[in-house]
Coordinates of all heavy atoms in Angstrom, one line a residue:
R117 N 0.4 -24.7 -60.7 CA 1.3 -25.9 -60.4 C 2.7 -25.6 -61.1 O 3.7 -26.0 -60.5 CB 0.7 -27.2 -61.0 CG -0.4 -27.6 -60.2 CD -0.6 -29.1 -60.5 NE -0.9 -29.4 -62.0 CZ -2.1 -29.5 -62.4 NH1 -3.1 -29.3 -61.8 NH2 -2.3 -29.6 -63.8
T118 N 2.7 -25.1 -62.2 CA 3.9 -24.7 -63.0 C 4.7 -23.7 -62.0 O 5.9 -23.8 -62.1 CB 3.7 -24.0 -64.3 OG1 3.0 -25.0 -65.2 CG2 4.9 -23.7 -65.1
M119 N 4.2 -22.6 -61.6 CA 4.9 -21.7 -60.7 C 5.4 -22.4 -59.5 O 6.6 -22.2 -59.1 CB 3.8 -20.7 -60.2 CG 3.4 -19.6 -61.2 SD 2.3 -18.3 -60.4 CE 3.5 -17.4 -59.4
M120 N 4.7 -23.4 -58.8 CA 5.2 -24.0 -57.7 C 6.5 -25.0 -58.2 O 7.5 -25.1 -57.4 CB 4.2 -24.9 -57.1 CG 3.0 -24.0 -56.4 SD 1.9 -25.2 -55.7 CE 2.8 -25.9 -54.3
A121 N 6.3 -25.6 -59.4 CA 7.4 -26.5 -59.7 C 8.7 -25.7 -59.9 O 9.7 -26.3 -60.0 CB 6.9 -27.4 -60.9
T122 N 8.5 -24.6 -60.6 CA 9.7 -23.8 -61.1 C 10.1 -22.8 -59.9 O 11.1 -22.1 -60.1 CB 9.4 -23.0 -62.3 OG1 8.2 -22.2 -62.1 CG2 9.1 -24.0 -63.3
G123 N 9.5 -22.7 -58.8 CA 9.9 -21.9 -57.7 C 9.6 -20.4 -57.9 O 10.3 -19.6 -57.2
K124 N 8.6 -20.2 -58.6 CA 8.3 -18.7 -59.0 C 7.2 -18.2 -57.8 O 6.3 -18.8 -57.6 CB 7.6 -18.4 -60.2 CG 8.5 -19.1 -61.5 CD 9.8 -18.4 -61.6 CE 10.5 -18.9 -63.0 NZ 11.7 -18.2 -63.2
G125 N 7.5 -17.0 -57.3 CA 6.8 -16.4 -56.3 C 5.8 -15.5 -56.8 O 4.8 -14.9 -56.0
V126 N 5.9 -15.0 -58.0 CA 5.0 -14.0 -58.6 C 4.8 -14.3 -60.1 O 5.7 -14.8 -60.7 CB 5.6 -12.6 -58.5 CG1 5.0 -11.5 -59.4 CG2 5.6 -12.0 -57.0
L127 N 3.7 -13.9 -60.6 CA 3.4 -14.0 -62.1 C 2.8 -12.7 -62.5 O 1.9 -12.1 -61.8 CB 2.5 -15.2 -62.3 CG 2.1 -15.4 -63.8 CD1 2.0 -16.8 -64.2 CD2 0.8 -14.8 -64.1
I128 N 3.2 -12.2 -63.6 CA 2.6 -10.9 -64.3 C 2.5 -11.3 -65.7 O 3.3 -11.8 -66.3 CB 3.5 -9.7 -64.0 CG1 5.0 -10.0 -64.3 CG2 3.6 -9.3 -62.5 CD1 5.9 -8.7 -64.3
P129 N 1.6 -10.8 -66.3 CA 1.3 -10.9 -67.7 C 1.9 -9.9 -68.7 O 2.0 -8.7 -68.5 CB -0.3 -10.7 -67.9 CG -0.6 -9.7 -66.8 CD 0.4 -9.9 -65.7
E130 N 2.6 -10.4 -69.6 CA 3.3 -9.8 -70.7 C 2.3 -9.0 -71.7 O 1.3 -9.7 -72.1 CB 4.3 -10.5 -71.4 CG 5.2 -9.9 -72.4 CD 6.3 -10.8 -72.9 OE1 5.9 -12.0 -73.1 OE2 7.4 -10.5 -73.3

Side-chain angles (χ1 to χ4, degrees):
R117 288 201 302 265
T118 299
M119 289 181 65
M120 291 184 64
T122 56
K124 306 293 186 183
V126 162
L127 178 142
I128 54 178
E130 187 176 31

